[in-house]
Amino acid sequence: MKLKIGLTGTLILLSLAGAAAFEPPTFAAEPKGSQTDVSWERYRQAALEAYNQGHLDAAEDLFRQACKAAARGKRIKPDDLCQCQNGLARVLTLQAKADEAIALYKRSLAMLIRAYGPRSPEILDTMLELGSLYESEGNHPEAMSLYNRVLSINESRYGPDHPAVARSLHRLARVKSSLSKEADAESDYKHALAILEKQPKEDGLAAILKDYATLLRKSNRAAEADELEKKAHQHQQSIGAVTAPLAIPAQSYWILHQQLEAGGYWQTQASEEQRVMDRANSAAPTNENLAPIYTTLADVHFKQKRMGAAEPLYKDILSIDERTLGASHPGFAADLTNLAQLYVSQHRYSEAEPLIKRALAIYDGFYGSSNLLVIKTRTLL
């Protein structure tokens, strides 16, 4: 799937650049000899508040304090400590500290298996989050192993026609597609759709349709892909867009980002695309004013695998935006990334790498290292 972090993509990413300073809370000490052990929950709630406001450094510190307090507690359940560890793992993931996050998820999973057993529904959320992290890191075999275990538990718990089974199949299909197992992936997509099409209000249907369409485009089946994308759009309209803030516990990163994109939540960054469009509408037609049209046309060529037609357009856009926006502007960085992704799709990695590094430096200087756009670009690199 082409990672969209261009001009329109900046709309849906959490910006930390203009966020107000976060004041960490102070808590009174627990009474001596107290058996209530509530301090871990106070720290965890404060960490969630910092996270929701985009203050990842503060959230990390508070989650670490929550983990320490929970580990010291005398009446703490495994679930409580795992909530703290998994919350910390989510923050670390967004800060590109995947190794430590993976270790925390593994620790939580081992604790939950000891407490509830290897096929208990209590372990599913942690398995899904760990699988999602493996998937985002490109470790698809490990992700597939976890997703297969989740599928087996869901089938035993709910039966073969439950939406939870469809969501498990969706994850497996994505991973199989990444491993070039297109036939197996398509079979899983079809199975998942057969389940969810019986659930007209199921909000996961559109995501499956879109990812299935992406798989079909890879196989040069554009007409079928267009039909699936049309169905996805109609379904989203029928159930309404996601507009509410998202619960952080038990959300996989892939689902979280998909929902953020669908709902437009945390739309705090300026729309550079709209500024370019406004300029085009107020001036005589020139190459500079037509840059958005060039971008759209290049994206269409890219999706239809006409790389030879897309490349000169992406280069023209680079030239235009370097003149009009400047070589340190995030809009220019988006152009660099778009061209780099075209090179990646052609396995021209030596040409893609310097473009991504240049884009990363621009984003980092403009937004700061904790910004999700910076993290996504670093992941692409």
Side-chain angles (χ1 to χ4, degrees), residues 224-291:
E224 294 173 76
D226 289 342
E227 186 62 29
L228 291 179
E229 288 173 350
K230 181 180 178 181
K231 287 182 179 179
H233 179 68
Q234 291 171 342
H235 179 71
Q236 284 181 315
Q237 288 185 319
S238 70
I239 65 173
V242 178
T243 56
L246 302 166
I248 294 175
Q251 289 284 351
S252 81
Y253 285 98
W254 180 81
I255 290 177
L256 178 62
H257 291 155
Q258 289 292 316
Q259 289 180 328
L260 287 177
E261 290 181 0
Y265 187 61
W266 285 337
Q267 292 185 5
T268 56
Q269 294 180 191
S271 172
E272 300 299 338
E273 181 184 35
Q274 187 58 50
R275 294 179 185 176
V276 175
M277 289 295 289
D278 290 343
R279 185 177 68 226
N281 291 333
S282 62
T286 65
N287 281 346
E288 285 78 1
N289 297 329
L290 292 173

Side-chain angles (χ1 to χ4, degrees), residues 185-202:
E186 183 168 5
S187 176
D188 285 344
Y189 278 131
K190 287 180 176 179
H191 189 177
L193 287 175
I195 295 171
L196 290 191
E197 284 171 348
K198 302 173 186 176
Q199 312 279 340
K201 295 299 182 182
E202 173 60 41

Side-chain angles (χ1 to χ4, degrees), residues 280-338:
N281 291 333
S282 62
T286 65
N287 281 346
E288 285 78 1
N289 297 329
L290 292 173
I293 298 173
Y294 292 164
T295 302
T296 301
L297 183 57
D299 287 345
V300 169
H301 287 316
F302 186 100
K303 289 176 182 177
Q304 296 183 0
K305 300 189 180 300
R306 295 199 295 267
M307 305 306 181
E311 183 175 351
L313 285 169
Y314 281 134
K315 288 181 175 179
D316 285 345
I317 296 160
L318 267 175
S319 177
I320 292 168
D321 283 347
E322 185 172 20
R323 283 198 311 273
T324 58
L325 300 176
S328 60
H329 194 280
F332 179 67
D335 300 335
L336 290 166
T337 307
N338 287 335

Side-chain angles (χ1 to χ4, degrees), residues 103-377:
L104 284 166
Y105 280 130
K106 285 183 173 180
R107 190 182 309 164
S108 292
L109 185 57
M111 292 173 57
L112 293 171
I113 290 175
R114 284 197 300 270
Y116 300 108
R119 294 189 62 80
S120 168
E122 303 293 336
I123 71 175
L124 289 177
D125 289 340
T126 299
M127 289 177 69
L128 286 171
E129 293 195 35
L130 177 57
S132 177
L133 180 50
Y134 277 135
E135 189 179 349
S136 68
E137 289 292 299
N139 190 343
H140 298 111
E142 288 288 351
M144 186 160 64
S145 174
L146 287 167
Y147 293 162
N148 272 317
R149 291 169 64 186
V150 171
L151 174 64
S152 177
I153 294 171
N154 280 332
E155 285 179 329
S156 299
R157 183 184 185 194
Y158 298 116
D161 296 322
H162 194 275
V165 173
R167 288 190 287 270
S168 301
L169 288 165
H170 181 193
R171 288 170 174 267
L172 281 168
R174 273 200 330 272
V175 171
K176 289 174 183 177
S177 177
S178 297
L179 291 170
S180 299
K181 299 180 178 181
E182 286 83 2
D184 290 343
E186 183 168 5
S187 176
D188 285 344
Y189 278 131
K190 287 180 176 179
H191 189 177
L193 287 175
I195 295 171
L196 290 191
E197 284 171 348
K198 302 173 186 176
Q199 312 279 340
K201 295 299 182 182
E202 173 60 41
D203 60 4
L205 180 59
I208 295 177
L209 287 165
K210 289 179 180 179
D211 280 351
Y212 187 12
T214 299
L215 176 68
L216 293 177
R217 290 197 186 283
K218 286 170 62 177
S219 303
N220 296 316
R221 294 159 65 183
E224 294 173 76
D226 289 342
E227 186 62 29
L228 291 179
E229 288 173 350
K230 181 180 178 181
K231 287 182 179 179
H233 179 68
Q234 291 171 342
H235 179 71
Q236 284 181 315
Q237 288 185 319
S238 70
I239 65 173
V242 178
T243 56
L246 302 166
I248 294 175
Q251 289 284 351
S252 81
Y253 285 98
W254 180 81
I255 290 177
L256 178 62
H257 291 155
Q258 289 292 316
Q259 289 180 328
L260 287 177
E261 290 181 0
Y265 187 61
W266 285 337
Q267 292 185 5
T268 56
Q269 294 180 191
S271 172
E272 300 299 338
E273 181 184 35
Q274 187 58 50
R275 294 179 185 176
V276 175
M277 289 295 289
D278 290 343
R279 185 177 68 226
N281 291 333
S282 62
T286 65
N287 281 346
E288 285 78 1
N289 297 329
L290 292 173
I293 298 173
Y294 292 164
T295 302
T296 301
L297 183 57
D299 287 345
V300 169
H301 287 316
F302 186 100
K303 289 176 182 177
Q304 296 183 0
K305 300 189 180 300
R306 295 199 295 267
M307 305 306 181
E311 183 175 351
L313 285 169
Y314 281 134
K315 288 181 175 179
D316 285 345
I317 296 160
L318 267 175
S319 177
I320 292 168
D321 283 347
E322 185 172 20
R323 283 198 311 273
T324 58
L325 300 176
S328 60
H329 194 280
F332 179 67
D335 300 335
L336 290 166
T337 307
N338 287 335
L339 180 58
Q341 288 180 99
L342 182 140
Y343 288 153
V344 168
S345 73
Q346 297 175 303
H347 307 289
R348 295 161 63 182
Y349 302 120
S350 62
E351 295 173 82
E353 183 177 0
L355 298 177
I356 300 171
K357 286 182 175 179
R358 190 175 174 189
L360 180 60
I362 296 170
Y363 285 141
D364 195 8
F366 201 87
Y367 295 120
S369 60
S370 295
N371 183 267
L372 285 182
L373 185 56
V374 174
I375 293 166
K376 280 194 171 185
T377 310

